[in-house]
Amino acid sequence: MSLISDLINMNLSQVTEKVIAEYIWIGGSGMDLRSKARTLPGPVSDPTKLPKWNYDGSSTGQAPGEDSEVILYPQAIFKDPFRRGNNILVMCDAYTPAGEPIPTNKRANAANIFSQPDVVAEEPWYGIEQEYTLLQKDINWPVGWPIGGYPAPQGPYYCGAGADKAFGRDIVDSHYKACLYAGINISGINGEVMPGQWEFQVGPAVGISAGDELWVARYILERITEIAGVVVSFDPKPIQGDWNGAGAHCNYSTKSMRDDGGYEIIKKAIEKLSLRHKEHIAAYGEGNERRLTGHHETADINSFKWGVANRGASVRVGRETEKQGKGYFEDRRPASNMDPYVVTSMIAETTILWKPT
């Protein structure tokens, strides 16, 4: 095993200029991350300088067998925390050979929204709070939980410390540092209310980069849990009963909201969100009805309400924003399995571009 470890950690830059690029894309379910690697003649820092590539879409649920070729377009580059050196992770989206985005490519539409002049002028910032649950591999039961049983009720686990309260911290901290190494603007981590559940935050990130960074952070987490022999779940309600679900709260602001007088802009944006509540809920993640029950720090899925410092609201405004008269708000509705390309662009479209009739 020591030889394998030596080979995994080998510094290729000592013997060759060639680098390894791991191309990452989203599979047919909308949540499964796929990747494969290729050798490049030398270091690359600009995604437009990377070659397009193809894959078998019939094996990912994204193309029929008789016409299975799907083309990967490189979109964002990150440092590879696993291979290190000049090796890179490449976030891609997927197109037909004719150059049309395939149906599961949600990035293309998001990039179009974020390129609209009115949106560019507002410089939308996002901070996404990604919750997830670590599961024991063979039984799909949270780490730290007794097999076939339950731990003590919720209370001591949120931001807790100790072997009887925090389960999986080695994975969480490894992920934190790997994201920082990769160049992802990960801004923090914490243990969550349900034992075995954790959260990391990505942002502030501007426009389309929020989606790119969150997807690559998810990919890195999948790779680390693969090494650790545990399973990461983004299910919004992994354990039924009196246990918190998992969300992906989206903190959002525009230039107008961050400027003096921005609180009035925030209130107008929230009013727009209330008018399109059903459309947003439909796009905010599968199984969210199991989480948004009006309990466990959520609002009921069928109603929209907002408030200051209210964690039972659909949208929460912080006390500091209210006090300063400018700042940001938090959309608490997105599920942990939401697509950040969809959620971030939809919030921008509704609050900046959409004109209610």
Side-chain angles (χ1 to χ4, degrees):
M1 290 300 291
S2 60
L3 176 58
I4 291 177
S5 179
D6 289 344
L7 290 170
I8 289 173
N9 295 311
M10 182 184 295
N11 184 358
L12 294 176
S13 63
Q14 296 175 344
V15 294
T16 180
E17 292 185 357
K18 292 180 179 180
V19 300
I20 301 171
E22 190 79 27
Y23 279 43
I24 304 164
W25 71 97
I26 302 160
S29 75
M31 271 304 291
D32 56 316
L33 283 159
R34 311 289 180 122
S35 73
K36 61 177 182 172
R38 67 183 298 163
T39 305
L40 303 175
V44 180
S45 58
D46 181 352
T48 65
K49 299 293 193 295
L50 288 168
K52 295 174 184 175
W53 207 4
N54 65 73
Y55 68 91
D56 171 16
S58 70
S59 295
T60 62
Q62 293 171 297
E66 63 272 14
D67 187 15
S68 65
E69 191 167 288
V70 180
I71 312 301
L72 292 172
Y73 286 33
Q75 299 291 358
I77 292 175
F78 300 86
K79 293 173 66 177
D80 186 339
F82 303 103
R83 295 188 177 106
R84 305 181 193 178
N86 291 320
N87 303 300
I88 55 176
L89 303 176
V90 183
M91 190 65 207
C92 304
D93 58 353
Y95 295 78
T96 68
E100 295 295 321
I102 65 171
T104 54
N105 178 354
K106 307 303 182 185
R107 190 188 191 280
N109 181 63
N112 178 57
I113 291 170
F114 285 122
S115 68
Q116 298 298 311
D118 287 349
V119 177
V120 173
E122 283 290 355
E123 298 175 19
W125 290 4
Y126 298 91
I128 302 173
E129 305 171 32
Q130 176 68 72
E131 295 178 339
Y132 60 93
T133 308
L134 297 174
L135 304 177
Q136 300 171 59
K137 181 181 176 183
D138 296 323
I139 59 174
N140 282 334
W141 200 239
V143 297
W145 289 38
I147 296 174
Y150 295 87
Q154 295 182 157
Y157 309 109
Y158 172 69
C159 297
D164 57 343
K165 304 177 193 70
F167 311 119
R169 191 186 296 275
D170 53 345
I171 293 169
V172 175
D173 207 43
S174 297
H175 176 252
Y176 195 178
K177 292 178 179 177
C179 285
L180 287 170
Y181 179 93
I184 293 166
N185 194 25
I186 185 170
S187 48
I189 58 167
N190 61 268
E192 268 303 330
V193 177
M194 189 183 86
Q197 190 180 85
W198 295 82
E199 173 184 300
F200 66 88
Q201 302 94 33
V202 168
V206 181
I208 196 69
S209 64
D212 290 337
E213 292 190 27
L214 189 73
W215 273 116
V216 175
R218 284 174 172 176
Y219 174 80
I220 292 171
L221 182 57
E222 292 277 11
R223 288 282 303 274
I224 290 172
T225 53
E226 172 191 321
I227 294 166
V230 303
V231 175
V232 58
S233 171
F234 295 104
D235 189 286
K237 186 72 173 179
I239 304 295
Q240 296 304 306
D242 195 17
W243 305 98
N244 274 36
H249 302 158
C250 188
N251 298 277
Y252 170 72
S253 71
T254 62
K255 188 176 185 298
S256 298
M257 295 174 191
R258 297 187 293 270
D259 289 344
D260 289 341
Y263 193 34
E264 292 304 312
I265 305 297
I266 287 172
K267 288 192 283 188
K268 290 176 182 177
I270 294 173
E271 174 63 21
K272 282 186 171 184
L273 289 173
S274 73
L275 296 174
R276 298 189 74 193
H277 177 62
K278 288 184 178 179
E279 292 90 334
H280 278 255
I281 286 294
Y284 275 14
E286 294 292 325
N288 213 8
E289 72 283 351
R290 293 182 282 117
R291 167 180 162 262
L292 296 180
T293 60
H295 304 288
H296 302 108
E297 301 182 53
T298 70
D300 185 88
I301 194 169
N302 296 309
S303 61
F304 182 96
K305 63 178 181 178
W306 75 277
V308 177
N310 182 359
R311 282 181 162 76
S314 311
V315 170
R316 180 185 68 88
V317 174
R319 289 284 181 204
E320 191 66 17
T321 293
E322 181 188 43
K323 180 181 177 181
Q324 296 291 333
K326 60 184 177 181
Y328 71 96
F329 65 82
E330 175 192 44
D331 190 338
R332 297 177 60 81
R333 297 171 296 172
S336 50
N337 59 2
M338 63 83 162
D339 186 328
Y341 294 136
V342 173
V343 169
T344 57
S345 62
M346 194 173 193
I347 291 173
E349 181 183 35
T350 294
T351 60
I352 300 171
L353 299 177
W354 184 57
K355 310 297 182 187
T357 54

